[in-house]
């Protein structure tokens, strides 16, 4: 049985790491982008962003002032046992978010949707958000994603039902139209990690898109060549648009395009996009049944899809 | 496209010479606001508790500031999207006598028209680099902290060579991003064409 103290500390450390340290895969994508970028102002902007992100790891301050919606993904072994059970896991996550806010690793960003009331600790109705996936085993993998307001609010999250008559062309047209509209003037903080969900009901597609944006390792490919081809074609298309960092021009508009899919109804193909900002904050930790804690370089959410 | 190093309070002359695409670095004094403050003043009929004539540089921003040993410490700073404040943009320029607004993205036509009439510009960041900026900012004071909370309060900053920012709306009413949009649309047509999606493509209407 994994003790409350162990998973609560691990949750806090995961939040802190997600807020203050750039993931190695995102960092790698920045280094590559700086090498490839031909617009000198965009290149300087990418380099300044990377320099600032590297300083955050040392100063232990947030990578960006907007520390986003707090979102947790738990990949749970079927035989995993937690002291206090999963209700206590969620309570511990809330306590860890409040602590991280109090210590300045997170900004108090979550507000009541109607009154604007700010609890000052990022805790409120249905926030933080929790998603679970059950797998074989007895460990638990915890991923924290900080989904920024820019990428979420300014058209980065969209959906459309595409007819089978329009197929892949319809999907690709929807994605390109959506991205251009949302990246104007840098609204979604490009270069983006663009997640795309294809199939399922509209909410299934939207959830797949969010996971594709927040949990896929940047640089990974979908194992099915049909979907990998869509990722590759869209990556190339979007980087040819000239949007650039913060929309001010340049040839780095996306760091990654990640597609996930579900079977869909014969009547239509739900498609959704979820855009993650250039910082693409996340961190993951594994706790084994003996209570040992391991930092993970990447969420490893999709190993078995 | 020129580079300027300006000090706030800014004069009309300072900003009238700026053109879209120019780069600016800013020193002097500035204040912050987000939408809650503009709503509080313009929609809810409250009075701004400070004078903006000698502090005419507004930065749209909700910083992270914590109190340490009775002093404010700026933990993080990044300009936030101006476009969502369009509702109060022209009013802010007019009633607060602003000469420059710094924010991510840009602002709309009404604000641009007020900027043209009164002599004001908008400038936008080219990176997400809080750590390169916080060392150039000293927190001087805060207003409306109790009423609006830390993020939405009006923070007074003393800044030193803060930048670079690109001028995206100049005082002639030009918008840098509108110009860029024309190029992006052209590239988009080519990209779609390459994927076999011609200009005649129409989505099958489902409802």
């Amino acid at each position: 049985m994994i003790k409350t103290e162990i998973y609560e500390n691990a949750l806090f450390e995961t939040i802190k790491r997600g807020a203050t340290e750039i993931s190695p895969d995102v960092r790698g994508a920045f280094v590559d982008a700086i090498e490839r970028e031909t617009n000198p102002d965009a290149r300087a902007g990418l380099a300044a962003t990377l320099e600032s992100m590297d300083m955050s790891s040392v100063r232990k301050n947030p990578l960006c002032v907007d520390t986003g919606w707090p979102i947790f993904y738990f990949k749970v072994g079927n035989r995993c046992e937690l002291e206090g059970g999963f209700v206590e896991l969620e309570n511990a996550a809330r306590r860890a978010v409040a602590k991280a806010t109090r210590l300045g690793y997170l900004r108090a960003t979550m507000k009541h949707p109607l009154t604007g009331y700010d609890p000052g600790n990022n805790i409120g109705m249905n926030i933080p958000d929790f998603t679970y996936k059950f797998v074989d085993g007895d460990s638990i993998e915890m991923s924290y994603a900080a989904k920024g307001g820019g990428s979420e609010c300014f058209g980065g999250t969209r959906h459309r039902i595409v007819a089978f008559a329009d197929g892949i062309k319809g999907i690709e047209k929807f994605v390109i139209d959506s991205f251009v509209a949302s990246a104007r003037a840098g609204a979604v903080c490009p270069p983006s990690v663009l997640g795309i969900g294809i199939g399922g009901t509209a909410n299934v597609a939207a959830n797949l898109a969010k996971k594709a944006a927040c949990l896929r390792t940047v640089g990974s490919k979908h194992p099915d060549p049909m979907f990998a081809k869509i990722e590759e074609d869209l990556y190339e298309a979007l980087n040819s648009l000239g949007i650039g960092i913060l929309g001010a021009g340049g040839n780095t508009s996306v760091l990654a395009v990640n597609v996930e899919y579900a079977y869909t109804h014969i009547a239509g193909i739900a498609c959704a996009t979820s855009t993650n900002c250039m910082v693409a904050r996340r961190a993951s930790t594994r706790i084994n049944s003996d209570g040992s804690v391991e930092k993970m370089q990447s969420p490893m959410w999709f190993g078995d899809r | 496209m020129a580079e300027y190093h300006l000090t706030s309070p800014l004069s009309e002359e300072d900003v009238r010479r700026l053109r879209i695409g120019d780069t600016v670095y800013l020193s002097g004094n500035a204040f912050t606001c987000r939408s809650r403050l503009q709503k509080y003043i313009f929609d809810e009929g409250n009075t701004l508790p400070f004078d903006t004539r000698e502090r005419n540089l507004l930065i749209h921003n909700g910083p992270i500031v914590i109190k340490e040993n009775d002093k404010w410490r700026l933990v993080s700073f990044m300009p936030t999207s101006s476009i969502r404040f369009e509702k109060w943009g022209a009013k802010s320029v007019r009633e607060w006598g602003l000469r420059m607004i710094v924010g991510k993205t840009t602002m709309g036509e009404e604000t641009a028209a007020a900027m043209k009439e009164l002599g004001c510009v908008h400038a936008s960041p080219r990176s997400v680099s809080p750590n390169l900026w916080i060392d150039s900012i000293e927190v001087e004071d805060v207003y409306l902290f109790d009423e609006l909370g830390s993020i939405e309060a009006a923070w007074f900053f003393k800044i030193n060579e803060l930048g670079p920012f690109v001028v995206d709306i100049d005082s002639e009413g030009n918008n840098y991003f509108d110009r860029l949009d024309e190029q992006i649309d052209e590239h988009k047509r080519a990209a779609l064409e390459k994927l076999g999606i011609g200009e005649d493509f129409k989505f099958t209407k489902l409802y």
Side-chain angles (χ1 to χ4, degrees):
Chain A
M1 175 149 340
I2 302 169
K3 297 276 183 211
T4 308
E5 191 189 343
I6 288 174
Y7 61 74
E8 187 164 340
N9 283 341
L11 282 161
F12 173 75
E13 288 302 321
T14 307
I15 296 165
K16 182 177 164 185
R17 182 153 45 93
T20 61
E21 291 179 33
I22 184 172
S23 298
D25 54 325
V26 180
R27 194 181 189 286
F30 256 85
V31 171
D32 291 348
I34 292 165
E35 258 177 46
R36 276 197 318 265
E37 179 61 62
T38 53
N39 175 319
D41 289 329
R43 195 183 163 104
L46 288 164
T49 303
L50 182 59
E51 190 185 344
S52 177
M53 292 195 292
D54 283 343
M55 286 166 80
S56 276
S57 323
V58 178
R59 291 179 169 183
K60 300 287 174 222
N61 67 4
L63 293 155
C64 178
V65 74
D66 170 18
T67 58
W69 275 268
I71 300 176
F72 291 91
Y73 293 91
F74 295 118
K75 193 168 172 180
V76 186
N78 201 27
R79 296 182 307 281
C80 172
E81 284 186 65
L82 300 174
E83 184 186 7
F86 288 87
V87 170
E88 191 53 22
L89 177 72
E90 294 190 0
N91 287 334
R94 290 187 192 96
R95 291 195 293 270
V97 166
K99 182 179 169 189
T101 309
R102 195 169 64 245
L103 296 176
Y105 299 119
L106 302 180
R107 185 180 65 176
T109 304
M110 296 295 108
K111 301 172 80 164
H112 187 281
L114 300 184
T115 64
Y117 167 71
D118 175 7
N121 60 6
N122 286 313
I123 307 296
M125 179 64 73
N126 287 318
I127 286 294
D129 180 50
F130 301 104
T131 300
Y132 295 85
K133 176 177 186 171
F134 298 99
V135 292
D136 264 350
D138 54 11
S139 64
I140 178 167
E141 293 176 1
M142 314 187 298
S143 292
Y144 170 77
K147 188 65 180 62
S151 61
E152 190 72 19
C153 290
F154 299 111
T157 302
R158 294 182 182 220
H159 108 279
R160 178 182 189 110
I161 309 289
V162 172
F164 270 98
D166 299 338
I168 291 178
K169 283 184 186 176
I171 293 167
E172 291 180 336
K173 172 89 163 85
F174 159 70
V175 171
I176 292 171
D177 284 351
S178 300
F179 187 74
V180 169
S182 65
R184 179 177 190 271
V188 290
C189 295
S192 306
V193 177
L194 180 61
I196 299 165
I198 300 175
T201 52
N203 64 308
V204 168
N207 280 332
L208 285 171
K210 175 75 86 260
K211 290 171 190 164
C214 294
L215 299 174
R216 274 270 298 270
T217 306
V218 170
S220 66
K221 283 184 172 35
H222 196 284
D224 182 330
M226 251 195 305
F227 290 92
K229 171 96 168 56
I230 296 175
E231 291 176 348
E232 202 181 303
D233 286 348
L234 286 173
Y235 178 84
E236 200 182 306
L238 297 174
N239 277 330
S240 74
L241 299 175
I243 291 170
I245 182 168
L246 288 181
N251 50 17
T252 313
S253 304
V254 287
L255 295 176
V257 177
N258 301 330
V259 179
E260 294 298 327
Y261 80 98
Y263 270 52
T264 195
H265 196 286
I266 195 168
I269 314 159
C271 292
T273 60
S274 175
T275 311
N276 209 351
C277 58
M278 65 180 92
V279 185
R281 287 159 301 191
R282 58 168 145 73
S284 304
T285 303
R286 179 187 298 114
I287 310 180
N288 299 306
S289 58
D290 63 2
S292 58
V293 178
E294 298 168 53
K295 268 191 207 177
M296 297 168 71
Q297 297 289 307
S298 186
M300 311 292 284
W301 184 266
F302 289 103
D304 43 7
R305 283 2 259 179
Chain B
M1 285 184 250
E3 181 178 308
Y4 293 93
H5 297 255
L6 303 172
T7 301
S8 165
L10 299 158
S11 68
E12 181 167 2
E13 195 194 343
D14 281 338
V15 300
R16 285 277 182 204
R17 66 188 157 146
L18 300 174
R19 291 291 168 267
I20 52 170
D22 285 348
T23 297
V24 289
Y25 290 84
L26 304 165
S27 298
N29 60 28
F31 73 105
T32 71
C33 94
R34 294 179 67 98
S35 56
R36 184 70 195 92
L37 189 146
Q38 284 168 321
K39 191 166 184 246
Y40 180 78
I41 301 298
F42 296 123
D43 295 0
E44 296 169 10
N46 295 292
T47 309
L48 200 65
F50 53 88
D51 189 351
T52 51
R53 277 170 303 183
E54 295 302 313
R55 191 176 285 271
N56 53 22
L57 168 59
L58 167 63
I59 307 177
H60 285 149
N61 172 240
I64 304 177
V65 188
I66 57 174
K67 205 160 210 178
E68 270 180 359
N69 305 320
D70 245 19
K71 281 185 77 176
W72 295 114
R73 182 168 74 84
L74 184 63
V75 174
S76 192
F77 160 90
M78 165 78 201
T80 195
S81 282
S82 291
I83 195 76
R84 78 181 94 150
F85 309 130
E86 178 59 15
K87 185 178 174 188
W88 303 287
K91 251 186 188 168
S92 305
V93 172
R94 195 176 303 279
E95 293 187 22
W96 295 349
L98 302 176
R99 291 286 175 216
M100 187 182 296
I101 299 175
V102 172
K104 210 188 84 186
T105 65
T106 188
M107 299 198 74
E109 285 175 15
E110 268 185 47
T111 305
M115 287 179 160
K116 185 177 177 180
E117 182 196 331
L118 299 158
C120 183
V121 300
H122 186 272
S124 192
R126 303 200 76 140
S127 61
V128 179
S129 45
N131 280 306
L132 307 189
W133 290 322
I134 55 174
D135 296 340
S136 314
I137 302 172
E138 191 189 315
V139 178
E140 288 187 305
D141 207 349
V142 63
Y143 284 86
L144 299 172
F145 185 94
D146 293 337
E147 293 84 347
L148 307 179
S150 176
I151 309 174
E152 311 255 15
W155 291 94
F156 277 19
F157 287 164
K158 191 172 175 190
I159 56 179
N160 180 27
E161 288 287 316
L162 188 67
F165 303 114
V166 60
V167 175
D168 61 277
I169 300 174
D170 63 23
S171 63
E172 292 192 338
N174 301 307
N175 189 306
Y176 175 83
F177 293 110
D178 286 348
R179 301 270 170 96
L180 207 58
D181 277 350
E182 292 164 21
Q183 296 171 28
I184 292 168
D185 281 344
E186 242 172 74
H187 294 147
K188 185 177 135 181
R189 270 193 292 277
L192 288 170
E193 193 71 45
K194 208 172 159 193
L195 293 171
I197 306 165
E199 283 195 60
D200 56 346
F201 177 90
K202 281 198 181 70
F203 283 107
T204 302
K205 216 166 173 250
L206 292 179
Y207 48 84

